[in-house]
Amino acid sequence: MTTEEILSAGIDIGTSTTKMVVSRFVLRNVAGLTHVPRIEIIEKKLIHQSPIIKTPFKSKEVIDMEKIEQFIFEQYQLANVLPENIATGAIIITGESATKHNASEVIHTISNSAGNFLVATAGPDLEGIIAAKGSGTVKASKQTGKVIANIDIGGGTANIAVVQYGEVIGTCTLHIGGRLIEFHNGVIHSISPPLERLMARWDNPLKVGDAANDPRIEKCIEEMITVLVDVLNRQLQDAEHPLLLGHLPNWTKQVEAVVFSGGVAACIYEDNCSMRQYDDIGERLAKTLQQDEALQSFLWIEPEETARATVTGAGTQTTDISGATIQVDAHALPLKNVPVFQCNMNASMAHIEQIVANAVQQANTLFSVQESQIPFALYFSQLPYLSFQDVHRLCEVILQQFTTSTVPIILIWQSDYAKVIGQTIQAISPTVPIICIDQIKVETGDYIDIGEVLPSGVVPVVVKTLAFHSQ
């Protein structure tokens, strides 16, 4: 193999805006001629960036799916790309758009018609990580070693991902965004429910119909930023705080630097503020963030992308490539949202039956829904050296645990054993559908998407890490 090219797309349907990118990945075998092949992505190049459009809605609670689809197919035409040529990528509904009545329908309709997308949707934790990759924060953390918080602020939410040495060590999401208060004809047209709950603590809260220049709006923005600073300093303890979406901050290290991305960040770093076309608090929020004394105590790092951070991350940074020595049943692919359970083999082979049996039992308990089986992946880590006899015995043990399974057996190996174990399982039991891959880093709590087999024999894999641990 000299090189192989695949196409990736990223689509971000946000509270305020929708955008799309198309990228080209170049794959190459980076191992020497006498070594086991190792296929890696050696180049990622954006080949098309859409304009940023206002997210179309049929009503306040219903996304206009037809207009979204029309926009996507227009971008494919402009990029001179056919949807069926898309091998990987992500469609993400972010912010408050994810709460709309037909959000799931939109995601799945588009993912079925607009290409072979792996990530079809993402919760706020994953959105924050993708934005941190797209903004360049993950890369900056590798270069500096600093603990950096990427704060992606759009129309409805602020998705925070804290990274160090290129690894995510925590996340948190807040109801902070440019469209939480909207105006029309100089008065307040709408106030989001989280802000209404926040202002319920006030003696005299804002209400629809109040003037757009009411000084209480600035008070509301300042309260948002106070909560943001408390989160960055791990001082927010109220799990029921009206601005908290999901869990409390879960990192243990002190944040040293901040990067802002998202539409509001475009007003922080850029002279031409894209939020000006929207009648909301986005520009005021950006200005107050810039001037806040508590935020100035952090080192500020400028992002590579602002409003396009999430869509750039979705299109270029979500995909990894499996090892080349794998064994997969192509008819079982693609697979989406497969939960991972880690099976640590740091023990004598004498206990192999008990180790594998315990792992499968725990995984079934964790992932089975109403007594129906769903596919899960067993990740085998810390394997000792395996002789031919060990491999054969391990395969028999695995098959014993899946004798009643009606779903594919999905195995991920930390070591380079996928091909030999997959082939051995198929030799023992030829009718069992098997997905056996390696060279992917996962752990219990992750979800993976596995794409169709590429000409080079590898598969694109998206690891969706939703649980984090401090370094």
Side-chain angles (χ1 to χ4, degrees), residues 410-447:
I410 306 167
L411 308 173
I412 307 172
W413 302 89
Q414 184 181 49
S415 308
D416 195 10
Y417 281 114
K419 186 83 169 178
V420 65
I421 287 176
Q423 288 182 336
T424 304
I425 287 176
Q426 290 214 309
I428 298 170
S429 185
T431 60
V432 172
I434 179 80
I435 308 294
C436 208
I437 63 176
D438 54 28
Q439 295 186 26
I440 299 294
K441 182 182 177 183
V442 287
E443 61 181 84
T444 299
D446 291 348
Y447 285 74

Side-chain angles (χ1 to χ4, degrees), residues 16 134 140 180 235 312 355:
S16 301
L180 297 188
Q235 292 174 348
T312 300
I355 293 170

Side-chain angles (χ1 to χ4, degrees), residues 140-161:
S141 75
K142 289 179 183 178
Q143 294 169 343
T144 65
K146 292 187 179 298
V147 179
I148 309 175
N150 192 89
I151 306 153
D152 190 76
I153 308 180
T157 56
N159 301 102
I160 304 165

